[in-house]
Amino acid sequence: MASVPSVDDDRLASLIDTVEARPSMTVTAPATDEALGSVPRCTAADARAAVESARKAQGEWADRAVGDRAAVLDTVGEAVLDRQRWLVDVLQAETGKARADAFEEVLDVAANADYYAREGPGFLASERRSSMLPIVTKAVEHRHPKGVVALIVPWNYPLTLVLSDALPAILAGNAVIVKPAEGTPFSALAAADVLADTALPADCFQVVTGDGPELGPPLIEHADAVGFTGSTETGRTVAEQAGRHLTDVSLELGGKNPAIVLADADIDRAAAGAVDDAFANAGQLCVSIERFYAEETVFEAFRDRFVSRTRQLTLGADTDWATDVGSLQSAAQLEKVTAHVEDALDRGATLLTGGRARPDIGPFVFEPTILTDVPDDARLTDEETFGPVVRIESVPDAEAALERANDSRYGLNATVWSGDRSRGESLAADIECGTVSVNDSYRTVWACLDGPMGGMGDSGIGRRHARQGIEKYTEAQTVATQRGPPMKHPAVPHRVWAGAVSAFLRARQRLPGWLR
Ligand code: NAD
């Protein structure tokens, strides 16, 4: 039976009450398609006011020692683990995802808090830089906070994409304003509740709930940097607006992610990993794999094991830890997924398993679906489905697999399966995607927080995680101090000066790299 955990927690309710009375918007529980609660429909003026008050609070925060700021991240890491039950309840209530998928969000936040508390101060430390005249000129690069960072986030990972992205920005000394997706505001409010118990000044983390087209433009205009995660289509609009105001922007967008199964792969392991790659979070995961290419000698074995494992998955719209695949998040999602499958079947694709909505389990539940013989003019060939639907295809060899994998305008994530690790790694490097896992599902590369994560092509601009994930919320500043005579033409004819400098540069080019 569908069940919805309560979000009617006193602390959450009081957070919502702190926003002045506004017209409200109703949030629906995907597990029942019934109202879960309501939040204020904030206006453009609210968004501007949030940036203004955040700006006032941010200076004091940036002035604190980086160690004190890192201590806030440690507090958050501990708090999300301590309060995981409540957070997972809130997540499940507004997304309909399986409990294990909801827990992964908590895990991700705790891991990011730990990573940036440990490594972040080093990424932010001022660093010596070399200069044209090494001993004579001292050069230092400093990192300053941008100021106010606006995070505009989607509904599929509404806690991870709020806190895991906010934490590096906060550590860098910024204030953060979050604009959650219309359908999933409670996780962002829960994040605010977690941060309210830390030493972060109150206005340094704020949530404005409401419509994207109303709140996006004022945030993009008035914030100093925008971290946008969402569809490629909206990402283009955000980028245009950011360009107009010269607001720094990073864009984490959609994908049509490929996996390659080579003939030498452990097929059992590849099939088990394929189930994770395809159906974790009911396929509503930016790094989900939606296209599989297996070499023809192993295609049938891979197909049969992948299908058989998929049929064993437990579907549910409930709070049971045993559920493997939860609900889709909205009626719109169900409609899109259904349309993609119907279109592929109408064009002659073969259904290997799944293919149906399951209203008997939950109003927006859709079966994990595997299709083959999908013609190239089908919508799901290069449109992101963002649901539990994948296509598998037999290819003659690794070269053909690579060609198919790279035949996409997107370039977010990929997986390679091979019995020869170095062959797998070398093929991975040729895939035009920002991240690639070899011999495991997306989890391996996602969990590698010290490696940047983001998209090529239509999958985005900029990276999260690693040094890049915090540097993007900073301004780099170089301070160069001249210790010797001024760096201007000495009192000799310009021609003589030009000859002497050219000789110096030529001599330097001949030195070994370490001496230059
Ligand atoms: P979406 O683009 O519809 O919405 C994302 C956010 O943008 C929401 O908060 C929405 O309110 C806001 N928005 C809408 N119109 C806006 C406007 N004109 N100006 C500013 N903001 C606006 O995306 P979605 O459907 O919520 O999310 C699914 C998409 O997100 C998928 O394409 C998925 O691949 C992508 N995604 C990418 C990553 C990644 O890391 N690359 C992670 C998660 C999801």
Side-chain angles (χ1 to χ4, degrees), residues 152-156 161 179-182 212-213 216 228-231 234 237-238 252-255 286 384 386 412 464:
I152 302 176
V153 299
W155 46 262
N156 65 325
L161 296 174
K179 208 304 276 171
E182 290 79 345
F228 174 82
T229 306
S231 63
T234 312
T237 306
V238 168
E252 304 285 349
L253 310 177
C286 58
E384 183 185 40
F386 214 54
L412 190 58
R464 58 163 55 93

Short mmCIF file of all heavy atoms in Angstrom, two decimals, residues 152-156 161 179-182 212-213 216 228-231 234 237-238 252-255 286 384 386 412 464, ligand 1:
data_model
loop_
_atom_site.label_atom_id
_atom_site.label_comp_id
_atom_site.label_asym_id
_atom_site.label_seq_id
_atom_site.Cartn_x
_atom_site.Cartn_y
_atom_site.Cartn_z
N ILE A 152 19.75 27.09 -7.81
CA ILE A 152 18.43 26.75 -8.36
C ILE A 152 18.46 25.25 -8.62
O ILE A 152 19.32 24.77 -9.38
CB ILE A 152 18.16 27.55 -9.65
CG1 ILE A 152 18.25 29.05 -9.36
CG2 ILE A 152 16.80 27.17 -10.23
CD1 ILE A 152 18.11 29.94 -10.59
N VAL A 153 17.58 24.51 -7.96
CA VAL A 153 17.74 23.05 -7.96
C VAL A 153 16.49 22.31 -8.44
O VAL A 153 15.38 22.83 -8.32
CB VAL A 153 18.15 22.53 -6.55
CG1 VAL A 153 19.47 23.11 -6.12
CG2 VAL A 153 17.10 22.84 -5.53
N PRO A 154 16.67 21.11 -8.96
CA PRO A 154 15.53 20.31 -9.44
C PRO A 154 14.95 19.44 -8.32
O PRO A 154 15.40 19.48 -7.18
CB PRO A 154 16.16 19.46 -10.53
CG PRO A 154 17.55 19.21 -10.05
CD PRO A 154 17.95 20.41 -9.23
N TRP A 155 13.99 18.61 -8.69
CA TRP A 155 13.24 17.83 -7.70
C TRP A 155 13.79 16.43 -7.47
O TRP A 155 13.36 15.74 -6.56
CB TRP A 155 11.77 17.69 -8.15
CG TRP A 155 11.66 17.32 -9.61
CD1 TRP A 155 11.42 18.19 -10.64
CD2 TRP A 155 11.84 16.03 -10.20
NE1 TRP A 155 11.46 17.52 -11.84
CE2 TRP A 155 11.70 16.19 -11.60
CE3 TRP A 155 12.10 14.76 -9.70
CZ2 TRP A 155 11.82 15.13 -12.49
CZ3 TRP A 155 12.23 13.69 -10.58
CH2 TRP A 155 12.08 13.89 -11.95
N ASN A 156 14.77 15.98 -8.29
CA ASN A 156 15.10 14.55 -8.22
C ASN A 156 15.99 14.19 -7.03
O ASN A 156 15.88 13.11 -6.48
CB ASN A 156 15.71 14.06 -9.54
CG ASN A 156 17.04 14.70 -9.85
OD1 ASN A 156 17.26 15.87 -9.55
ND2 ASN A 156 17.93 13.95 -10.46
N LEU A 161 21.20 18.03 -3.74
CA LEU A 161 21.53 19.14 -4.64
C LEU A 161 21.38 20.49 -3.95
O LEU A 161 21.80 21.51 -4.48
CB LEU A 161 20.68 19.05 -5.91
CG LEU A 161 20.98 17.79 -6.74
CD1 LEU A 161 20.02 17.66 -7.92
CD2 LEU A 161 22.42 17.76 -7.24
N LYS A 179 16.64 28.13 -4.34
CA LYS A 179 15.31 28.11 -4.97
C LYS A 179 15.02 26.65 -5.31
O LYS A 179 15.50 26.11 -6.31
CB LYS A 179 15.35 28.96 -6.24
CG LYS A 179 14.04 29.59 -6.65
CD LYS A 179 12.91 28.62 -6.82
CE LYS A 179 12.85 27.96 -8.16
NZ LYS A 179 11.87 26.86 -8.24
N PRO A 180 14.25 25.96 -4.44
CA PRO A 180 13.98 24.54 -4.73
C PRO A 180 12.96 24.40 -5.86
O PRO A 180 12.29 25.38 -6.22
CB PRO A 180 13.39 24.03 -3.41
CG PRO A 180 12.87 25.22 -2.69
CD PRO A 180 13.59 26.44 -3.21
N ALA A 181 12.85 23.19 -6.38
CA ALA A 181 11.83 22.94 -7.40
C ALA A 181 10.45 23.10 -6.75
O ALA A 181 10.28 22.88 -5.55
CB ALA A 181 12.01 21.53 -7.97
N GLU A 182 9.47 23.43 -7.57
CA GLU A 182 8.12 23.69 -7.08
C GLU A 182 7.57 22.49 -6.31
O GLU A 182 6.88 22.65 -5.30
CB GLU A 182 7.18 24.00 -8.26
CG GLU A 182 7.44 25.34 -8.95
CD GLU A 182 8.62 25.33 -9.93
OE1 GLU A 182 9.43 24.38 -9.90
OE2 GLU A 182 8.74 26.29 -10.71
N GLY A 212 9.88 28.91 -10.73
CA GLY A 212 11.18 29.20 -11.34
C GLY A 212 11.18 30.45 -12.20
O GLY A 212 12.04 31.32 -12.02
N PRO A 213 10.24 30.59 -13.14
CA PRO A 213 10.29 31.77 -14.02
C PRO A 213 10.06 33.09 -13.26
O PRO A 213 10.45 34.15 -13.74
CB PRO A 213 9.13 31.51 -15.01
CG PRO A 213 8.96 30.02 -15.00
CD PRO A 213 9.26 29.58 -13.59
N GLY A 216 13.64 32.94 -10.61
CA GLY A 216 14.95 32.80 -11.26
C GLY A 216 15.54 34.14 -11.68
O GLY A 216 16.66 34.50 -11.28
N PHE A 228 23.19 26.37 -11.13
CA PHE A 228 21.90 25.84 -11.63
C PHE A 228 22.03 24.36 -11.91
O PHE A 228 22.97 23.92 -12.59
CB PHE A 228 21.49 26.57 -12.91
CG PHE A 228 20.25 25.97 -13.54
CD1 PHE A 228 18.99 26.30 -13.08
CD2 PHE A 228 20.36 25.02 -14.56
CE1 PHE A 228 17.85 25.71 -13.63
CE2 PHE A 228 19.23 24.43 -15.13
CZ PHE A 228 17.97 24.77 -14.65
N THR A 229 21.10 23.57 -11.42
CA THR A 229 21.00 22.16 -11.78
C THR A 229 19.58 21.93 -12.30
O THR A 229 18.62 22.27 -11.61
CB THR A 229 21.26 21.24 -10.58
OG1 THR A 229 22.52 21.58 -10.00
CG2 THR A 229 21.31 19.78 -11.00
N GLY A 230 19.47 21.37 -13.47
CA GLY A 230 18.14 21.13 -14.04
C GLY A 230 18.24 20.75 -15.49
O GLY A 230 19.28 20.24 -15.94
N SER A 231 17.17 21.00 -16.23
CA SER A 231 17.14 20.56 -17.62
C SER A 231 18.00 21.47 -18.50
O SER A 231 18.22 22.64 -18.18
CB SER A 231 15.70 20.57 -18.12
OG SER A 231 15.21 21.89 -18.09
N THR A 234 16.00 24.70 -19.60
CA THR A 234 15.98 25.81 -18.64
C THR A 234 17.39 26.36 -18.44
O THR A 234 17.58 27.57 -18.26
CB THR A 234 15.42 25.35 -17.27
OG1 THR A 234 14.23 24.62 -17.50
CG2 THR A 234 15.11 26.51 -16.36
N THR A 237 18.11 29.16 -20.75
CA THR A 237 17.46 30.42 -20.33
C THR A 237 18.26 31.06 -19.21
O THR A 237 18.51 32.27 -19.21
CB THR A 237 16.02 30.11 -19.81
OG1 THR A 237 15.34 29.39 -20.82
CG2 THR A 237 15.26 31.36 -19.47
N VAL A 238 18.68 30.24 -18.24
CA VAL A 238 19.45 30.76 -17.10
C VAL A 238 20.78 31.36 -17.60
O VAL A 238 21.19 32.45 -17.18
CB VAL A 238 19.70 29.63 -16.07
CG1 VAL A 238 20.72 30.02 -15.03
CG2 VAL A 238 18.38 29.23 -15.41
N GLU A 252 24.58 22.43 -14.39
CA GLU A 252 24.62 20.96 -14.33
C GLU A 252 23.32 20.49 -14.97
O GLU A 252 22.25 20.61 -14.37
CB GLU A 252 24.68 20.49 -12.86
CG GLU A 252 25.85 21.06 -12.08
CD GLU A 252 27.18 20.42 -12.43
OE1 GLU A 252 27.19 19.39 -13.13
OE2 GLU A 252 28.21 20.97 -12.02
N LEU A 253 23.41 19.96 -16.19
CA LEU A 253 22.19 19.75 -16.98
C LEU A 253 21.91 18.28 -17.28
O LEU A 253 22.42 17.40 -16.61
CB LEU A 253 22.30 20.58 -18.26
CG LEU A 253 22.69 22.06 -18.04
CD1 LEU A 253 22.86 22.80 -19.34
CD2 LEU A 253 21.68 22.76 -17.13
N GLY A 254 21.13 18.04 -18.28
CA GLY A 254 20.64 16.69 -18.57
C GLY A 254 21.67 15.80 -19.24
O GLY A 254 22.80 16.21 -19.52
N GLY A 255 21.27 14.56 -19.50
CA GLY A 255 22.17 13.62 -20.15
C GLY A 255 21.40 12.52 -20.86
O GLY A 255 20.18 12.37 -20.67
N CYS A 286 20.45 12.16 -12.80
CA CYS A 286 21.12 12.77 -13.96
C CYS A 286 22.16 11.83 -14.55
O CYS A 286 22.40 11.85 -15.75
CB CYS A 286 21.73 14.10 -13.58
SG CYS A 286 22.91 13.98 -12.23
N GLU A 384 16.42 12.77 -23.38
CA GLU A 384 16.53 12.20 -22.03
C GLU A 384 15.14 11.77 -21.57
O GLU A 384 14.19 12.56 -21.60
CB GLU A 384 17.08 13.29 -21.10
CG GLU A 384 17.31 12.82 -19.68
CD GLU A 384 17.74 13.97 -18.76
OE1 GLU A 384 17.20 15.08 -18.91
OE2 GLU A 384 18.61 13.74 -17.91
N PHE A 386 14.62 10.27 -18.43
CA PHE A 386 14.64 10.59 -17.00
C PHE A 386 13.61 9.75 -16.24
O PHE A 386 12.83 10.24 -15.43
CB PHE A 386 14.39 12.08 -16.78
CG PHE A 386 15.16 12.62 -15.60
CD1 PHE A 386 16.53 12.46 -15.50
CD2 PHE A 386 14.52 13.31 -14.58
CE1 PHE A 386 17.24 12.95 -14.42
CE2 PHE A 386 15.22 13.80 -13.48
CZ PHE A 386 16.59 13.62 -13.41
N LEU A 412 27.33 13.71 -20.17
CA LEU A 412 27.39 13.79 -18.71
C LEU A 412 28.17 12.63 -18.09
O LEU A 412 29.21 12.82 -17.48
CB LEU A 412 25.96 13.85 -18.14
CG LEU A 412 25.87 14.19 -16.65
CD1 LEU A 412 26.53 15.51 -16.34
CD2 LEU A 412 24.41 14.20 -16.19
N ARG A 464 30.95 20.24 -10.25
CA ARG A 464 30.82 20.17 -8.80
C ARG A 464 31.84 19.16 -8.28
O ARG A 464 32.53 18.51 -9.05
CB ARG A 464 29.39 19.79 -8.37
CG ARG A 464 28.89 18.47 -8.90
CD ARG A 464 27.67 17.98 -8.12
NE ARG A 464 26.57 18.92 -8.06
CZ ARG A 464 25.55 18.97 -8.90
NH1 ARG A 464 25.50 18.11 -9.92
NH2 ARG A 464 24.58 19.83 -8.76
P1 NAD B 1 13.93 22.14 -14.68
O1 NAD B 1 14.94 22.76 -15.57
O2 NAD B 1 12.53 22.10 -15.14
O3 NAD B 1 13.91 22.87 -13.25
C1 NAD B 1 15.06 23.02 -12.46
C2 NAD B 1 14.90 24.24 -11.58
O4 NAD B 1 14.84 25.41 -12.40
C3 NAD B 1 13.62 24.25 -10.75
O5 NAD B 1 13.89 24.78 -9.47
C4 NAD B 1 12.72 25.21 -11.52
O6 NAD B 1 11.75 25.85 -10.70
C5 NAD B 1 13.74 26.21 -12.01
N1 NAD B 1 13.30 27.02 -13.16
C6 NAD B 1 12.32 26.75 -14.05
N2 NAD B 1 12.23 27.77 -14.95
C7 NAD B 1 13.17 28.67 -14.61
C8 NAD B 1 13.58 29.92 -15.16
N3 NAD B 1 12.99 30.44 -16.23
N4 NAD B 1 14.60 30.58 -14.57
C9 NAD B 1 15.22 30.05 -13.49
N5 NAD B 1 14.86 28.89 -12.92
C10 NAD B 1 13.86 28.19 -13.49
O7 NAD B 1 14.50 20.69 -14.38
P2 NAD B 1 13.75 19.52 -13.62
O8 NAD B 1 12.76 18.91 -14.52
O9 NAD B 1 13.31 20.02 -12.30
O10 NAD B 1 14.95 18.50 -13.36
C11 NAD B 1 15.27 17.43 -14.19
C12 NAD B 1 16.49 17.76 -15.01
O11 NAD B 1 17.59 18.06 -14.16
C13 NAD B 1 16.94 16.58 -15.86
O12 NAD B 1 17.24 17.04 -17.15
C14 NAD B 1 18.20 16.09 -15.15
O13 NAD B 1 19.12 15.42 -15.98
C15 NAD B 1 18.75 17.38 -14.62
N6 NAD B 1 19.69 17.14 -13.52
C16 NAD B 1 21.01 17.32 -13.76
C17 NAD B 1 21.94 17.05 -12.74
C18 NAD B 1 23.42 17.20 -13.00
O14 NAD B 1 24.20 17.13 -12.06
N7 NAD B 1 23.85 17.38 -14.23
C19 NAD B 1 21.49 16.62 -11.49
C20 NAD B 1 20.13 16.45 -11.30
C21 NAD B 1 19.23 16.71 -12.32
#
